Amino acid sequence: MAAMPNLQVTDCSSLFAPRLPHRPSLTLPHSGFIAKASLQQPHHHSASPPSIVNRRQLISQAASLSLSLATLSTLPPPAKSEEVLSEWERVSLPIDPGVVLLDIAFVPDDMNHGFLLGTRQTILETKDGGNTWVPRSIPSAEDEDFNYRFNSISFKGKEGWIVGKPAILLYTSDAGESWERIPLSAQLPGDMVYIKATGEKSAEMVTDQGAIYVTSNRGYNWRAAVQETVSATLNRTVSSGISGASYYTGTFNTVNRSPDGRYVAVSSRGNFYLTWEPGQPFWQPHNRAIARRIQSMGWRADGGLWLLVRGGGLFLSKGTGITEDFEEVPVQSRGFGILDVGYRSEDEAWAAGGSGVLLRTTNGGKSWTRDKAADNIAANLYSVKFINDKKGFVLGNDGVLLRYLG
């Protein structure tokens, strides 16, 4: 059994909207009777007085107008216009187009103050609730030899944490006004992919190899919460019938934490998934009951699980808690993969995916409708983050950030 080491730091440093579809236009006589009455004079050989001529013209044109209106009334009614995306708007960011946005968080005591992370050493800061963002320089995170990928950020009160790859840990005790770099042990197994601020000077950190560490002294010491690596667990349980365990490459594809501290992770190949609850000595592997490989998994607002498969399928667990019993929910993903689901409330959630796919449910996930306004966004939408029921964001590649308007 490969034991999970404890870590100790030795060094301390128009008029109508929406637009209607095309409809046949109403064709009126080319010369209006008012213009004719004022410009056209009767010929001097005409036997009819001017008033008679104008009256005849008026009657003739009125008849033509009545005929045109009658023809128009027989046409089918115009189709209803597609619903315009009103819940989200795209936010302009001062970053290179190739940046992939990875995480976002706000200071609980000041919900206007937040930070946005991404690849290529990207850290952006907002002080107006996410309307505008500016690059944030953190000297201790700038190294000429590395191009950091900042994976995760979390705040509790004024304390905040950032983790990235290559291994880097940043800590703030003043709501992000200043950040210090906390040294990390070279024994850390895997790359840090997630961090959660849990209390005063306390946090929980997860690596892509399934290591879970907790600290209560600002990150200077970390205690292993899992007693063995995922690879060791699978070696011990492969004979118990975990399909695909022998193909495990040693890393997670995704990992998600519930509000009460439970985790669900997907193996890198999507063959199976694993769960962990506080107090358990190791991860629990689970067979997937779906033929297609798993893309991602996470927690619903009611405590149940959602599961996404490659190719765009969405499944919900039956009941709440950890289970292997899932049922598929029909979605209109246009064949593109769905990559994440974020819950605004127990009833309302949004799902995002490849090529601007954006879906919404208002009944807890039983049915989903596609919001077409993001179809023109040439980007993959990787993550849906609701800070609370009024503040939410969708993060994508190529520097795409959508802000929830409600």
Side-chain angles (χ1 to χ4, degrees):
M1 180 185 300
M4 193 71 70
N6 289 326
L7 304 181
Q8 182 171 355
V9 175
T10 57
D11 178 22
C12 300
S13 29
S14 42
L15 182 58
F16 298 100
R19 182 181 300 171
L20 294 173
H22 176 73
R23 58 187 293 178
S25 58
L26 172 62
T27 303
L28 297 175
H30 288 289
S31 52
F33 70 87
I34 296 178
K36 264 196 164 183
S38 60
L39 297 178
Q40 180 175 332
Q41 300 297 329
H43 197 276
H44 65 280
H45 293 297
S46 176
S48 303
S51 61
I52 300 298
V53 173
N54 290 340
R55 187 178 299 111
R56 288 173 178 172
Q57 291 171 345
L58 176 61
I59 294 172
S60 174
Q61 292 173 4
S64 296
L65 179 61
S66 298
L67 179 60
S68 298
L69 290 173
T71 301
L72 183 62
S73 65
T74 63
L75 296 174
K80 292 184 179 179
S81 62
E82 298 294 344
E83 182 182 357
V84 176
L85 180 66
S86 59
E87 286 88 357
W88 302 88
E89 71 171 1
R90 183 171 179 178
V91 180
S92 177
L93 298 177
I95 55 177
D96 295 333
V99 170
V100 179
L101 302 178
L102 298 173
D103 202 9
I104 189 171
F106 285 77
V107 180
D109 297 338
D110 181 6
M111 293 304 289
N112 286 322
H113 189 194
F115 293 85
L116 179 63
L117 309 182
T119 59
R120 301 187 185 179
Q121 213 148 302
T122 298
I123 301 180
L124 302 179
E125 184 176 16
T126 181
K127 293 189 176 180
D128 61 7
N131 296 323
T132 60
W133 298 82
V134 296
R136 174 62 190 268
S137 174
I138 300 178
S140 60
E142 296 173 359
D143 192 320
E144 294 181 358
D145 297 330
F146 296 106
N147 190 1
Y148 289 108
R149 171 192 178 102
F150 293 114
N151 287 321
S152 180
I153 181 171
S154 179
F155 278 93
K156 181 81 169 181
K158 295 182 180 297
E159 294 184 79
W161 307 78
I162 294 176
V163 295
K165 173 186 177 181
I168 185 171
L169 173 64
L170 303 174
Y171 170 79
T172 179
S173 59
D174 56 10
E177 295 301 322
S178 63
W179 294 84
E180 65 174 302
R181 184 168 179 172
I182 306 297
L184 287 167
S185 169
Q187 299 178 13
L188 183 70
D191 297 316
M192 294 178 293
V193 293
Y194 179 81
I195 194 162
K196 173 68 175 180
T198 56
E200 184 179 355
K201 300 180 182 179
S202 302
E204 194 170 271
M205 176 176 64
V206 184
T207 76
D208 62 355
Q209 290 188 14
I212 302 177
Y213 287 101
V214 294
T215 183
S216 56
N217 60 359
R218 299 176 72 246
Y220 287 107
N221 298 98
W222 294 86
R223 178 181 58 83
V226 180
Q227 295 180 8
E228 64 182 13
T229 64
V230 172
S231 294
T233 300
L234 293 175
N235 288 335
R236 185 169 47 77
T237 61
V238 67
S239 60
S240 64
I242 301 300
S243 177
S246 59
Y247 299 103
Y248 183 68
T249 60
T251 59
F252 292 158
N253 185 38
T254 63
V255 59
N256 272 299
R257 184 184 191 273
S258 71
D260 59 359
R262 295 175 295 168
Y263 284 91
V264 60
V266 177
S267 67
S268 55
R269 293 170 60 94
N271 292 336
F272 58 94
Y273 65 98
L274 306 99
T275 58
W276 181 84
E277 298 183 68
Q280 289 184 335
F282 45 80
W283 287 84
Q284 303 286 337
H286 301 268
N287 277 314
R288 75 182 194 273
I290 299 106
R292 285 176 289 173
R293 294 187 179 183
I294 306 172
Q295 176 70 45
S296 182
M297 294 180 69
W299 302 92
R300 304 196 305 262
D302 64 0
L305 289 165
W306 54 261
L307 182 153
L308 304 173
V309 297
R310 299 179 185 183
L314 189 155
F315 294 75
L316 300 178
S317 65
K318 296 180 180 179
T320 61
I322 296 172
T323 180
E324 297 182 7
D325 194 5
F326 289 81
E327 57 185 356
E328 186 170 9
V329 178
V331 292
Q332 302 172 0
S333 64
R334 299 181 297 151
F336 296 102
I338 303 174
L339 302 175
D340 194 27
V341 178
Y343 276 77
R344 178 173 173 260
S345 65
E346 282 201 18
D347 293 327
E348 183 180 347
W350 292 80
S355 192
V357 167
L358 202 55
L359 307 168
R360 180 193 188 195
T361 179
T362 56
N363 55 14
K366 297 181 180 65
S367 62
W368 297 77
T369 57
R370 182 162 64 91
D371 206 324
K372 298 184 179 181
D375 288 358
N376 295 326
I377 297 178
N380 295 327
L381 305 178
Y382 288 118
S383 181
V384 182
K385 303 278 187 181
F386 276 97
I387 314 302
N388 53 41
D389 62 350
K390 296 181 180 179
K391 187 180 293 292
F393 296 86
V394 175
L395 286 60
N397 67 339
D398 283 334
V400 170
L401 178 68
L402 306 181
R403 185 173 71 92
Y404 181 72
L405 300 176

